[in-house]
Coordinates of all heavy atoms in Angstrom, one line a residue:
M437 N 16.7 1.5 -9.9 CA 17.2 2.8 -9.5 C 16.8 3.2 -8.1 O 17.6 3.8 -7.4 CB 16.6 3.9 -10.5 CG 17.1 3.8 -11.9 SD 16.3 4.8 -13.1 CE 16.8 6.4 -12.5
S438 N 15.6 2.8 -7.7 CA 15.2 3.1 -6.3 C 15.9 2.3 -5.3 O 15.9 2.5 -4.1 CB 13.7 2.9 -6.2 OG 13.4 1.5 -6.4
S439 N 16.7 1.3 -5.8 CA 17.5 0.5 -4.8 C 18.9 0.9 -4.8 O 19.8 0.2 -4.4 CB 17.5 -1.0 -5.3 OG 16.2 -1.5 -5.2
A440 N 19.2 2.1 -5.3 CA 20.5 2.8 -5.4 C 21.5 2.0 -6.1 O 22.7 2.0 -5.8 CB 21.0 3.1 -3.9
K441 N 21.1 1.3 -7.2 CA 22.1 0.6 -8.0 C 22.7 1.6 -9.0 O 22.0 2.5 -9.4 CB 21.4 -0.5 -8.8 CG 20.7 -1.6 -7.9 CD 21.6 -2.4 -7.1 CE 20.9 -3.5 -6.4 NZ 21.7 -4.0 -5.3
T442 N 23.9 1.3 -9.4 CA 24.6 2.2 -10.4 C 23.9 1.9 -11.8 O 23.3 0.9 -12.1 CB 26.1 1.9 -10.5 OG1 26.2 0.5 -11.0 CG2 26.7 2.1 -9.1
S443 N 24.1 2.9 -12.7 CA 23.6 2.8 -14.0 C 24.2 1.6 -14.7 O 23.6 0.8 -15.4 CB 23.9 4.0 -14.8 OG 23.2 5.1 -14.3
S444 N 25.6 1.4 -14.5 CA 26.2 0.2 -15.2 C 25.6 -1.1 -14.7 O 25.4 -2.0 -15.5 CB 27.7 0.3 -15.0 OG 28.0 0.2 -13.6
Y445 N 25.3 -1.2 -13.4 CA 24.7 -2.4 -12.9 C 23.3 -2.6 -13.5 O 23.0 -3.7 -13.9 CB 24.5 -2.3 -11.4 CG 23.8 -3.5 -10.8 CD1 24.5 -4.6 -10.4 CD2 22.4 -3.4 -10.6 CE1 23.8 -5.7 -9.9 CE2 21.7 -4.5 -10.1 CZ 22.4 -5.7 -9.8 OH 21.7 -6.8 -9.3
I446 N 22.5 -1.6 -13.6 CA 21.2 -1.7 -14.2 C 21.2 -2.1 -15.6 O 20.5 -3.0 -16.1 CB 20.4 -0.4 -14.0 CG1 20.2 -0.1 -12.5 CG2 19.1 -0.4 -14.8 CD1 19.6 1.3 -12.2
V447 N 22.1 -1.5 -16.4 CA 22.3 -1.9 -17.8 C 22.7 -3.3 -17.9 O 22.1 -4.1 -18.7 CB 23.3 -0.9 -18.5 CG1 23.7 -1.5 -19.9 CG2 22.7 0.5 -18.6
R448 N 23.7 -3.8 -17.1 CA 24.1 -5.1 -17.2 C 23.0 -6.1 -16.8 O 22.7 -7.1 -17.4 CB 25.3 -5.3 -16.3 CG 26.0 -6.7 -16.4 CD 27.3 -6.9 -15.6 NE 27.1 -6.6 -14.2 CZ 27.5 -5.5 -13.5 NH1 28.1 -4.5 -14.2 NH2 27.3 -5.4 -12.2
F449 N 22.3 -5.7 -15.7 CA 21.2 -6.6 -15.2 C 20.1 -6.7 -16.3 O 19.6 -7.8 -16.6 CB 20.6 -6.0 -14.0 CG 19.4 -6.8 -13.4 CD1 19.6 -7.9 -12.6 CD2 18.1 -6.4 -13.8 CE1 18.6 -8.6 -12.1 CE2 17.0 -7.1 -13.3 CZ 17.3 -8.2 -12.5
C450 N 19.7 -5.6 -16.9 CA 18.7 -5.7 -18.0 C 19.1 -6.5 -19.2 O 18.4 -7.3 -19.7 CB 18.3 -4.3 -18.5 SG 17.4 -3.3 -17.3
S451 N 20.4 -6.4 -19.5 CA 20.9 -7.2 -20.6 C 20.9 -8.6 -20.3 O 20.5 -9.5 -21.1 CB 22.4 -6.7 -21.0 OG 22.4 -5.4 -21.4
E452 N 21.4 -9.0 -19.1 CA 21.5 -10.4 -18.7 C 20.1 -11.0 -18.4 O 19.8 -12.1 -18.8 CB 22.4 -10.6 -17.5 CG 23.8 -10.2 -17.8 CD 24.7 -10.2 -16.6 OE1 24.2 -10.4 -15.5 OE2 25.9 -9.9 -16.7
E453 N 19.3 -10.3 -17.7 CA 18.0 -10.8 -17.2 C 16.9 -10.8 -18.3 O 16.1 -11.7 -18.4 CB 17.5 -10.0 -16.0 CG 16.5 -10.6 -15.2 CD 16.9 -11.8 -14.5 OE1 18.1 -12.0 -14.2 OE2 16.0 -12.6 -14.1
Y454 N 16.9 -9.7 -19.1 CA 15.8 -9.6 -20.1 C 16.3 -9.7 -21.6 O 15.5 -9.6 -22.5 CB 15.1 -8.2 -19.9 CG 14.6 -8.1 -18.5 CD1 15.1 -7.2 -17.6 CD2 13.5 -8.9 -18.1 CE1 14.6 -7.1 -16.3 CE2 13.0 -8.8 -16.8 CZ 13.5 -7.9 -15.9 OH 13.1 -7.7 -14.7
G455 N 17.6 -9.9 -21.8 CA 18.1 -10.1 -23.1 C 18.0 -8.9 -24.0 O 18.0 -9.1 -25.3
V456 N 18.0 -7.7 -23.5 CA 18.0 -6.5 -24.3 C 19.5 -6.0 -24.5 O 20.4 -6.4 -23.7 CB 17.2 -5.3 -23.7 CG1 15.7 -5.8 -23.5 CG2 17.7 -4.9 -22.3
T457 N 19.7 -5.3 -25.6 CA 21.0 -4.8 -25.8 C 21.4 -3.7 -24.8 O 20.5 -3.1 -24.1 CB 21.2 -4.2 -27.2 OG1 20.3 -3.0 -27.3 CG2 20.8 -5.2 -28.3
S458 N 22.6 -3.4 -24.6 CA 23.1 -2.4 -23.7 C 22.5 -1.0 -24.1 O 22.0 -0.3 -23.2 CB 24.6 -2.3 -23.6 OG 25.1 -3.4 -23.0
R459 N 22.4 -0.8 -25.4 CA 21.9 0.4 -25.9 C 20.4 0.6 -25.5 O 20.0 1.6 -25.1 CB 22.1 0.5 -27.4 CG 21.6 1.8 -28.0 CD 21.8 1.9 -29.5 NE 21.7 3.2 -29.9 CZ 22.7 3.8 -30.6 NH1 23.8 3.2 -30.9 NH2 22.5 5.1 -31.0
Q460 N 19.7 -0.5 -25.7 CA 18.2 -0.5 -25.3 C 18.1 -0.3 -23.8 O 17.2 0.5 -23.4 CB 17.5 -1.7 -25.8 CG 16.0 -1.7 -25.6 CD 15.4 -0.5 -26.3 OE1 15.6 -0.3 -27.5 NE2 14.5 0.2 -25.7
A461 N 18.9 -1.0 -23.0 CA 18.8 -0.8 -21.6 C 19.1 0.6 -21.2 O 18.4 1.2 -20.3 CB 19.8 -1.8 -20.9
E462 N 20.1 1.3 -21.8 CA 20.4 2.7 -21.5 C 19.2 3.6 -21.9 O 18.9 4.5 -21.2 CB 21.6 3.1 -22.3 CG 22.9 2.5 -21.7 CD 24.1 2.6 -22.6 OE1 24.0 3.2 -23.7 OE2 25.2 2.2 -22.2
N463 N 18.5 3.2 -23.0 CA 17.3 4.0 -23.4 C 16.2 3.8 -22.3 O 15.5 4.8 -22.0 CB 16.8 3.5 -24.8 CG 17.7 4.0 -25.9 OD1 18.4 5.0 -25.8 ND2 17.6 3.3 -27.0
Y464 N 16.0 2.6 -21.8 CA 15.0 2.4 -20.8 C 15.4 3.2 -19.5 O 14.6 3.8 -18.9 CB 14.9 0.9 -20.4 CG 14.3 0.1 -21.5 CD1 14.7 -1.2 -21.7 CD2 13.2 0.5 -22.2 CE1 14.1 -2.1 -22.6 CE2 12.6 -0.3 -23.2 CZ 13.1 -1.6 -23.4 OH 12.4 -2.4 -24.3
L465 N 16.7 3.2 -19.2 CA 17.2 3.9 -18.0 C 16.9 5.4 -18.2 O 16.5 6.1 -17.3 CB 18.7 3.6 -17.8 CG 19.3 4.0 -16.5 CD1 18.6 3.4 -15.3 CD2 20.8 3.5 -16.5
R466 N 17.2 5.9 -19.4 CA 17.0 7.4 -19.7 C 15.5 7.7 -19.5 O 15.1 8.7 -18.9 CB 17.5 7.7 -21.1 CG 17.5 9.1 -21.4 CD 18.1 9.4 -22.8 NE 19.4 8.8 -22.9 CZ 19.7 7.8 -23.7 NH1 18.8 7.1 -24.4 NH2 21.0 7.3 -23.8
R467 N 14.7 6.8 -20.0 CA 13.2 7.1 -19.9 C 12.7 7.0 -18.5 O 11.9 7.8 -18.0 CB 12.5 6.1 -20.8 CG 11.0 6.2 -20.7 CD 10.5 7.5 -21.4 NE 9.1 7.6 -21.3 CZ 8.4 8.7 -20.8 NH1 9.1 9.7 -20.4 NH2 7.1 8.7 -20.6
A468 N 13.3 6.1 -17.7 CA 12.9 6.0 -16.3 C 13.3 7.3 -15.5 O 12.5 7.7 -14.7 CB 13.6 4.8 -15.7
R469 N 14.5 7.8 -15.8 CA 14.9 9.1 -15.2 C 13.9 10.2 -15.6 O 13.6 11.0 -14.7 CB 16.3 9.4 -15.6 CG 17.3 8.6 -15.0 CD 18.7 9.1 -15.2 NE 19.7 8.3 -14.7 CZ 20.6 7.5 -15.4 NH1 20.5 7.5 -16.7 NH2 21.4 6.7 -14.8
E470 N 13.5 10.2 -16.8 CA 12.5 11.3 -17.2 C 11.2 11.1 -16.4 O 10.6 12.1 -16.0 CB 12.2 11.1 -18.7 CG 13.4 11.5 -19.6 CD 13.1 11.2 -21.1 OE1 12.1 10.7 -21.4 OE2 14.1 11.4 -21.9
I471 N 10.7 9.9 -16.3 CA 9.5 9.7 -15.5 C 9.7 10.1 -14.1 O 8.8 10.7 -13.5 CB 9.1 8.2 -15.6 CG1 8.7 7.9 -17.1 CG2 8.0 7.8 -14.7 CD1 8.5 6.4 -17.4
I472 N 10.8 9.7 -13.5 CA 11.1 10.1 -12.1 C 11.1 11.6 -11.9 O 10.5 12.2 -11.0 CB 12.4 9.5 -11.6 CG1 12.2 8.0 -11.4 CG2 12.8 10.1 -10.2 CD1 13.5 7.2 -11.2
R473 N 11.8 12.3 -12.9 CA 11.8 13.8 -12.8 C 10.4 14.4 -12.9 O 10.0 15.3 -12.2 CB 12.7 14.3 -13.9 CG 14.1 14.5 -13.5 CD 14.9 15.4 -14.6 NE 14.9 14.8 -15.9 CZ 15.8 13.9 -16.3 NH1 16.7 13.4 -15.4 NH2 15.8 13.4 -17.5
A474 N 9.6 13.8 -13.8 CA 8.2 14.3 -14.0 C 7.4 14.1 -12.7 O 6.6 14.9 -12.3 CB 7.5 13.6 -15.2
D475 N 7.6 12.9 -12.1 CA 6.9 12.6 -10.9 C 7.2 13.6 -9.7 O 6.3 13.9 -8.9 CB 7.2 11.2 -10.4 CG 6.5 10.1 -11.2 OD1 5.6 10.4 -11.9 OD2 6.9 8.9 -11.0
Y476 N 8.4 14.1 -9.7 CA 8.8 15.0 -8.6 C 8.9 16.4 -9.0 O 9.4 17.3 -8.3 CB 10.2 14.5 -8.1 CG 10.0 13.3 -7.2 CD1 10.2 12.0 -7.7 CD2 9.6 13.4 -5.9 CE1 10.0 10.9 -7.0 CE2 9.4 12.2 -5.1 CZ 9.6 11.0 -5.7 OH 9.4 9.8 -4.9
S477 N 8.3 16.8 -10.2 CA 8.3 18.2 -10.6 C 6.9 18.8 -10.1 O 6.5 19.7 -10.8 CB 8.5 18.3 -12.1 OG 7.4 17.7 -12.8
V478 N 6.4 18.3 -9.1 CA 5.1 18.8 -8.5 C 5.4 20.1 -7.7 O 6.5 20.3 -7.3 CB 4.4 17.8 -7.7 CG1 3.9 16.6 -8.5 CG2 5.2 17.4 -6.5
D479 N 4.4 20.8 -7.5 CA 4.4 22.0 -6.6 C 4.9 21.6 -5.2 O 4.5 20.6 -4.7 CB 3.1 22.7 -6.6 CG 3.1 23.9 -5.7 OD1 3.7 24.9 -6.1 OD2 2.5 23.9 -4.7
R480 N 5.7 22.4 -4.6 CA 6.3 22.1 -3.3 C 5.2 21.8 -2.3 O 5.2 20.9 -1.5 CB 7.2 23.2 -2.8 CG 7.8 23.0 -1.5 CD 8.7 24.2 -1.2 NE 9.1 24.2 0.2 CZ 10.2 23.6 0.6 NH1 11.0 22.9 -0.2 NH2 10.6 23.6 1.9
S481 N 4.1 22.6 -2.3 CA 3.1 22.5 -1.3 C 2.3 21.2 -1.5 O 1.8 20.5 -0.6 CB 2.1 23.7 -1.3 OG 1.5 23.8 -2.5
D482 N 2.1 20.8 -2.8 CA 1.4 19.5 -3.1 C 2.3 18.4 -2.6 O 1.7 17.4 -2.0 CB 1.2 19.4 -4.6 CG 0.1 20.3 -5.2 OD1 -0.6 20.9 -4.4 OD2 0.1 20.5 -6.4
F483 N 3.6 18.4 -2.9 CA 4.5 17.4 -2.4 C 4.4 17.3 -0.9 O 4.3 16.2 -0.3 CB 5.9 17.7 -2.9 CG 6.9 16.6 -2.5 CD1 7.0 15.5 -3.2 CD2 7.7 16.9 -1.4 CE1 8.0 14.5 -2.8 CE2 8.7 15.9 -1.0 CZ 8.8 14.8 -1.7
L484 N 4.5 18.4 -0.2 CA 4.6 18.4 1.2 C 3.2 17.8 1.8 O 3.2 17.0 2.7 CB 4.8 19.8 1.8 CG 4.8 20.0 3.3 CD1 5.9 19.1 3.9 CD2 5.0 21.4 3.6
G485 N 2.1 18.3 1.2 CA 0.8 17.8 1.6 C 0.7 16.3 1.5 O 0.2 15.6 2.4
S486 N 1.2 15.7 0.4 CA 1.0 14.3 0.2 C 1.9 13.5 1.2 O 1.6 12.4 1.7 CB 1.4 13.9 -1.2 OG 2.7 14.1 -1.5
R487 N 3.1 14.1 1.5 CA 4.0 13.4 2.5 C 3.5 13.5 3.9 O 3.6 12.6 4.7 CB 5.4 14.0 2.4 CG 6.1 13.7 1.0 CD 6.0 12.3 0.6 NE 6.6 12.0 -0.6 CZ 6.1 11.9 -1.8 NH1 4.8 12.1 -2.0 NH2 6.7 11.5 -2.9
L488 N 2.9 14.6 4.2 CA 2.3 14.7 5.6 C 1.1 13.8 5.7 O 1.0 13.2 6.8 CB 1.8 16.2 5.8 CG 2.9 17.2 5.9 CD1 2.4 18.6 6.0 CD2 3.8 16.9 7.2
A489 N 0.3 13.6 4.7 CA -0.8 12.6 4.7 C -0.2 11.2 4.9 O -0.8 10.4 5.7 CB -1.6 12.7 3.5
L490 N 0.8 10.9 4.2 CA 1.5 9.6 4.4 C 2.0 9.4 5.8 O 1.8 8.3 6.4 CB 2.6 9.4 3.3 CG 3.4 8.1 3.4 CD1 2.5 6.9 3.2 CD2 4.5 8.1 2.4
L491 N 2.6 10.4 6.3 CA 3.1 10.3 7.7 C 1.9 10.1 8.7 O 2.0 9.4 9.7 CB 3.9 11.5 8.1 CG 5.3 11.6 7.5 CD1 5.9 13.0 7.6 CD2 6.2 10.5 8.1
D492 N 0.7 10.7 8.4 CA -0.5 10.5 9.2 C -0.8 9.0 9.3 O -1.1 8.4 10.3 CB -1.7 11.3 8.7 CG -1.7 12.7 9.1 OD1 -1.0 13.1 10.1 OD2 -2.4 13.5 8.5
E493 N -0.8 8.4 8.1 CA -1.1 7.0 8.0 C -0.1 6.1 8.8 O -0.4 5.2 9.4 CB -1.1 6.5 6.5 CG -2.3 7.1 5.8 CD -2.3 6.7 4.3 OE1 -1.7 5.6 4.0 OE2 -2.8 7.4 3.5
I494 N 1.2 6.5 8.7 CA 2.3 5.8 9.4 C 2.1 5.9 10.9 O 2.2 5.0 11.7 CB 3.7 6.3 9.0 CG1 3.9 5.9 7.5 CG2 4.7 5.8 9.9 CD1 5.2 6.5 6.9
I495 N 1.7 7.1 11.4 CA 1.5 7.4 12.8 C 0.3 6.5 13.3 O 0.4 5.8 14.3 CB 1.2 8.8 13.0 CG1 2.5 9.7 12.8 CG2 0.7 9.1 14.5 CD1 2.2 11.2 12.7
E496 N -0.8 6.5 12.5 CA -1.9 5.7 12.9 C -1.6 4.2 13.0 O -2.0 3.5 13.9 CB -3.1 5.9 12.0 CG -3.7 7.3 12.1 CD -4.8 7.6 11.0 OE1 -5.3 6.6 10.4 OE2 -5.1 8.8 10.8
A497 N -0.9 3.7 12.0 CA -0.6 2.3 11.9 C 0.4 2.0 13.0 O 0.3 0.9 13.7 CB 0.0 1.9 10.6
S498 N 1.3 2.8 13.3 CA 2.3 2.6 14.4 C 1.6 2.5 15.8 O 1.9 1.7 16.6 CB 3.4 3.7 14.4 OG 4.1 3.7 13.2
I499 N 0.7 3.4 16.0 CA 0.0 3.4 17.3 C -0.9 2.2 17.4 O -0.9 1.5 18.4 CB -0.9 4.7 17.4 CG1 0.1 5.9 17.6 CG2 -1.9 4.6 18.6 CD1 -0.6 7.2 17.6
R500 N -1.6 1.8 16.3 CA -2.4 0.6 16.3 C -1.7 -0.6 16.5 O -2.2 -1.6 17.2 CB -3.1 0.6 14.9 CG -4.3 -0.4 14.8 CD -5.1 -0.4 13.5 NE -4.3 -0.3 12.3 CZ -4.1 0.8 11.6 NH1 -4.6 1.9 11.9 NH2 -3.3 0.8 10.5
T501 N -0.4 -0.7 16.1 CA 0.4 -1.9 16.3 C 1.4 -1.8 17.4 O 2.3 -2.6 17.6 CB 1.2 -2.3 15.0 OG1 2.0 -1.1 14.6 CG2 0.2 -2.6 13.8
K502 N 1.1 -0.8 18.2 CA 1.9 -0.5 19.4 C 3.4 -0.3 19.2 O 4.3 -0.8 20.0 CB 1.7 -1.6 20.5 CG 0.2 -1.7 20.9 CD 0.0 -2.6 22.1 CE -1.4 -2.8 22.5 NZ -2.3 -1.7 22.5
Q503 N 3.7 0.3 18.1 CA 5.1 0.6 17.7 C 5.3 2.1 17.9 O 5.4 2.9 17.0 CB 5.4 0.2 16.3 CG 5.3 -1.3 16.0 CD 5.6 -1.7 14.6 OE1 5.9 -0.8 13.7 NE2 5.5 -2.9 14.3
H504 N 5.2 2.5 19.2 CA 5.2 3.9 19.6 C 6.4 4.7 19.2 O 6.3 5.8 18.8 CB 4.9 4.0 21.1 CG 3.6 3.4 21.4 ND1 3.5 2.2 22.1 CD2 2.3 3.8 21.1 CE1 2.2 1.9 22.3 NE2 1.5 2.9 21.7
S505 N 7.6 4.0 19.1 CA 8.8 4.8 18.7 C 8.7 5.2 17.3 O 9.2 6.2 16.9 CB 10.0 4.0 19.0 OG 10.0 2.8 18.2
N506 N 8.0 4.3 16.4 CA 7.8 4.7 15.0 C 6.9 5.9 14.9 O 7.1 6.8 14.1 CB 7.3 3.5 14.2 CG 8.3 2.4 14.1 OD1 9.5 2.6 14.3 ND2 7.9 1.3 13.6
A507 N 5.8 5.9 15.8 CA 4.9 7.0 15.7 C 5.6 8.3 16.2 O 5.4 9.3 15.5 CB 3.7 6.7 16.7
V508 N 6.4 8.2 17.2 CA 7.1 9.4 17.6 C 8.0 9.9 16.5 O 8.1 11.1 16.3 CB 7.9 9.1 18.9 CG1 8.9 10.2 19.3 CG2 7.0 8.9 20.1
G509 N 8.7 9.0 15.8 CA 9.6 9.4 14.8 C 8.9 10.1 13.6 O 9.3 11.1 13.1
A510 N 7.7 9.5 13.3 CA 6.9 10.1 12.2 C 6.3 11.5 12.7 O 6.3 12.4 11.9 CB 5.7 9.2 11.8
L511 N 5.9 11.6 13.9 CA 5.5 12.9 14.4 C 6.6 13.9 14.4 O 6.4 15.1 14.0 CB 5.0 12.7 15.9 CG 3.6 12.1 16.0 CD1 3.3 11.7 17.4 CD2 2.5 13.1 15.6
K512 N 7.8 13.5 14.8 CA 8.9 14.4 14.7 C 9.2 14.9 13.3 O 9.5 16.1 13.1 CB 10.2 13.7 15.3 CG 11.4 14.6 15.4 CD 12.6 13.9 16.0 CE 13.8 14.8 16.0 NZ 15.0 14.1 16.5
L513 N 9.2 14.0 12.4 CA 9.4 14.3 11.0 C 8.3 15.3 10.5 O 8.6 16.3 9.8 CB 9.4 13.1 10.1 CG 9.8 13.3 8.6 CD1 11.0 14.1 8.4 CD2 9.9 12.0 7.9
Q514 N 7.1 15.0 10.9 CA 6.0 16.0 10.5 C 6.3 17.4 11.0 O 6.1 18.4 10.3 CB 4.6 15.5 11.0 CG 3.9 14.5 10.2 CD 2.5 14.3 10.7 OE1 2.2 14.3 11.9 NE2 1.6 14.0 9.7
A515 N 6.7 17.4 12.3 CA 7.0 18.7 12.9 C 8.1 19.4 12.2 O 8.1 20.6 12.0 CB 7.3 18.5 14.4
Q516 N 9.1 18.6 11.8 CA 10.3 19.2 11.1 C 9.8 19.7 9.7 O 10.2 20.8 9.2 CB 11.4 18.2 10.9 CG 12.1 17.9 12.2 CD 13.1 16.7 12.1 OE1 13.0 15.9 11.2 NE2 14.0 16.6 13.1
L517 N 9.0 18.9 9.0 CA 8.6 19.3 7.6 C 7.7 20.6 7.7 O 7.7 21.4 6.7 CB 7.8 18.2 7.0 CG 8.7 17.0 6.5 CD1 7.8 15.8 6.1 CD2 9.6 17.4 5.4
T518 N 6.9 20.7 8.7 CA 6.1 21.9 8.8 C 6.8 23.0 9.6 O 6.2 24.1 9.8 CB 4.8 21.5 9.5 OG1 5.1 21.0 10.8 CG2 3.9 20.6 8.7
R519 N 8.0 22.8 9.9 CA 8.9 23.8 10.6 C 8.3 24.2 12.0 O 8.6 25.3 12.4 CB 9.1 25.0 9.7 CG 9.8 24.5 8.5 CD 10.4 25.7 7.7 NE 11.0 25.1 6.5 CZ 11.7 25.8 5.7 NH1 11.9 27.1 5.9 NH2 12.3 25.2 4.7
L520 N 7.6 23.3 12.6 CA 7.2 23.5 14.0 C 8.4 23.3 15.0 O 8.4 23.9 16.0 CB 6.1 22.5 14.4 CG 4.8 22.7 13.7 CD1 3.8 21.7 14.1 CD2 4.2 24.1 14.0
V521 N 9.4 22.5 14.6 CA 10.6 22.3 15.3 C 11.8 22.4 14.4 O 11.6 22.1 13.2 CB 10.6 21.0 16.2 CG1 9.5 21.0 17.2 CG2 10.5 19.8 15.3
E522 N 12.9 22.7 14.9 CA 14.1 22.7 14.0 C 14.5 21.2 13.7 O 14.4 20.3 14.6 CB 15.3 23.3 14.8 CG 15.1 24.8 14.9 CD 15.0 25.6 13.6 OE1 15.8 25.3 12.7 OE2 14.1 26.4 13.5
G523 N 15.0 21.0 12.5 CA 15.5 19.7 12.1 C 16.8 19.3 12.9 O 17.5 20.2 13.4
G524 N 17.0 18.0 13.0 CA 18.3 17.7 13.7 C 18.4 16.2 14.0 O 17.7 15.4 13.7

């Protein structure tokens, strides 16, 4: 699902690769969607805080490895998420 595959592809893949029935694969897919929804049903400020912290790590790693354009991109995204600058 995180690879943007269609439901029919995932069901077929599970059936072929793991030998489960289409019905069972659909049940797994349904459960995966429930888990994803639960993961993202966090408070907006908690979600934003965790993403800003992740961007801090990306900035630090980018600077450390001299990938300055990645650091600038992450800084820009942080500014947009915190509404310090307009998105665009």
Side-chain angles (χ1 to χ4, degrees):
M437 291 173 68
S438 64
S439 299
K441 302 294 186 196
T442 64
S443 295
S444 60
Y445 174 87
I446 294 169
V447 168
R448 186 175 60 255
F449 179 83
C450 289
S451 296
E452 293 171 359
E453 195 69 21
Y454 301 110
V456 298
T457 65
S458 293
R459 184 181 196 121
Q460 187 60 49
E462 289 168 358
N463 288 335
Y464 289 145
L465 194 54
R466 189 174 306 107
R467 180 67 183 127
R469 285 190 184 109
E470 291 170 2
I471 292 168
I472 291 168
R473 270 193 298 276
D475 283 348
Y476 285 97
S477 67
V478 296
D479 180 69
R480 181 179 169 89
S481 62
D482 291 342
F483 180 81
L484 179 60
S486 68
R487 295 315 182 257
L488 291 172
L490 177 59
L491 285 167
D492 280 339
E493 292 179 24
I494 291 169
I495 292 165
E496 290 174 16
S498 298
I499 291 170
R500 191 172 48 254
T501 59
K502 300 191 184 318
Q503 297 178 1
H504 298 108
S505 62
N506 290 346
V508 169
L511 283 165
K512 182 178 178 183
L513 184 53
Q514 275 189 327
Q516 289 171 343
L517 288 172
T518 56
R519 298 193 180 186
L520 293 176
V521 297
E522 291 297 317

